[in-house]
């Protein structure tokens, strides 16, 4: 494809009277890794959830791979898609949450094969073969038959990443994927994400892990009060930020 993988144009989102996104515009190119930074409540996670239509936008336009997210345009009119159509679109966008959201009654293998079988109608044998490859890829080849309660938080998060990859997504969204982990477990998850970045996966990552952002991201985006206030390379961001709010943020966390 020649166009952007993600294109946001003046995206607004309100919860009641609270305007959480105040006109966000940005593009993410295929194969690009963008880390979104900013204080809590700045709108980062909400924007991520709008990309795969877990939240409906209240204004602007948002497209993935050239297609509107959750909507279809006929001439000048825009119609919201039915739930089944939204689910089909969402299947191409992998998402990893702060909390792992694994099915507790299913093994690691069963968690990974569930969506390909149910949503994409993949044969169970093929789904299992692919799941085994993915669990090996995230360093869990010996945990195929383990249940979430038998796994550490870091291992559960790596199962969640394998589960998202099992749908062969064109885009991966990470919403603070290490924030619920004990510090010694963070590194294994970040290593998997670094490898995904090296493999060319398009990724948007909401994170407070500055080392990962500096090393793995192509671009860093700073959000504050529902708007993007800084957008540039890691070098620009860490050595010569322009916005005063960005400078304050970095001074507190570095």
């Amino acid at each position: 494809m020649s166009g952007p993988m993600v294109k946001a144009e003046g995206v607004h989102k309100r919860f009641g009277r609270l305007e959480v996104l105040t006109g966000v515009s940005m593009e993410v190119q295929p194969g690009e890794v963008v880390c979104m930074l900013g204080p809590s409540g700045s709108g980062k996670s909400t924007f991520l959830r709008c990309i795969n239509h877990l939240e409906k936008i209240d204004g602007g336009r948002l497209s993935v791979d050239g297609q509107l997210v959750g909507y279809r345009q006929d001439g000048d009119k825009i119609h919201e898609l039915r739930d089944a159509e939204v689910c089909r679109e969402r299947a191409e966008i992998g998402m990893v949450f702060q909390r792992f959201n694994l099915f507790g009654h299913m093994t690691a293998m069963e968690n990974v094969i569930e969506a390909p079988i149910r949503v994409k109608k993949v044969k169970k044998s093929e789904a299992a073969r692919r799941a085994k490859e993915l669990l090996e890829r995230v360093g869990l080849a010996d945990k195929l038959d383990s249940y979430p309660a038998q796994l550490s938080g870091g291992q559960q998060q790596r199962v969640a990443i394998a589960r998202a990859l099992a749908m062969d997504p064109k885009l991966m969204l990470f919403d603070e994927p290490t924030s619920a982990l004990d510090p010694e477990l963070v590194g294994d998850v970040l290593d998997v994400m670094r490898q995904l970045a090296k493999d060319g996966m398009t990724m948007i990552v909401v994170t407070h892990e500055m080392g990962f952002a500096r090393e793995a991201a192509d671009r860093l985006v700073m959000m504050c009060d529902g708007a993007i206030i800084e957008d540039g390379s890691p070098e620009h961001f860490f050595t010569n930020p322009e916005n005063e709010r960005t400078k304050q943020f970095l001074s507190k966390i570095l």
Side-chain angles (χ1 to χ4, degrees), residues 40-186:
S40 297
S42 59
K44 308 180 301 295
S45 293
T46 297
F47 178 66
L48 217 61
R49 292 172 64 85
C50 288
I51 292 175
N52 66 358
H53 206 61
L54 287 174
E55 300 288 354
K56 299 176 184 179
I57 65 175
D58 295 310
R61 293 168 65 92
L62 190 49
S63 59
V64 172
D65 200 9
Q67 301 291 319
L68 287 176
V69 176
Y71 300 90
R72 181 184 70 254
Q73 184 160 355
D74 290 328
D76 294 334
K77 295 184 177 180
I78 292 179
H79 306 279
E80 187 170 4
L81 298 178
R82 295 191 300 271
D83 287 346
E85 294 173 295
V86 172
C87 284
R88 278 198 296 273
E89 287 190 351
R90 193 178 288 143
E92 298 190 310
I93 304 172
M95 186 154 186
V96 178
F97 300 86
Q98 294 180 35
R99 299 289 172 178
F100 326 120
N101 291 0
L102 299 178
F103 295 114
H105 65 289
M106 294 183 178
T107 65
M109 168 74 83
E110 289 167 342
N111 266 280
V112 175
I113 68 176
E114 178 75 2
I117 291 173
R118 285 184 176 269
V119 178
K120 300 185 86 172
K121 309 304 180 187
V122 175
K123 289 182 180 179
K124 186 174 182 178
S125 59
E126 173 59 23
R129 183 194 64 77
R130 175 80 170 130
K132 190 174 180 180
E133 286 179 0
L134 289 169
L135 287 166
E136 186 173 336
R137 182 176 174 183
V138 299
L140 295 174
D142 59 337
K143 300 295 184 182
L144 305 184
D145 300 319
S146 297
Y147 290 89
Q150 299 170 314
L151 301 173
S152 70
Q155 290 170 333
Q156 289 185 60
Q157 193 62 294
R158 284 183 279 156
V159 173
I161 293 172
R163 179 179 60 181
L165 292 174
M167 295 295 283
D168 293 320
K170 60 179 71 172
L171 169 68
M172 284 286 285
L173 308 176
F174 293 86
D175 187 8
E176 297 193 36
T178 60
S179 65
L181 302 179
D182 292 333
E184 68 268 22
L185 302 176
V186 168

Side-chain angles (χ1 to χ4, degrees), residues 4 6 25-29 32-37 203-205 212-214 216-222 228 230-235 237-238:
V6 178
S25 296
M26 66 177 288
E27 293 186 1
V28 179
Q29 302 304 321
E32 194 173 26
V33 177
V34 175
C35 282
M36 302 193 77
L37 312 175
M203 297 162 57
I204 304 178
V205 184
F212 173 83
R214 187 192 294 265
D218 298 299
R219 277 168 53 214
L220 301 185
V221 172
M222 173 78 179
I228 292 174
E230 193 106 32
D231 185 340
S233 68
E235 183 180 6
F237 198 90
F238 286 111

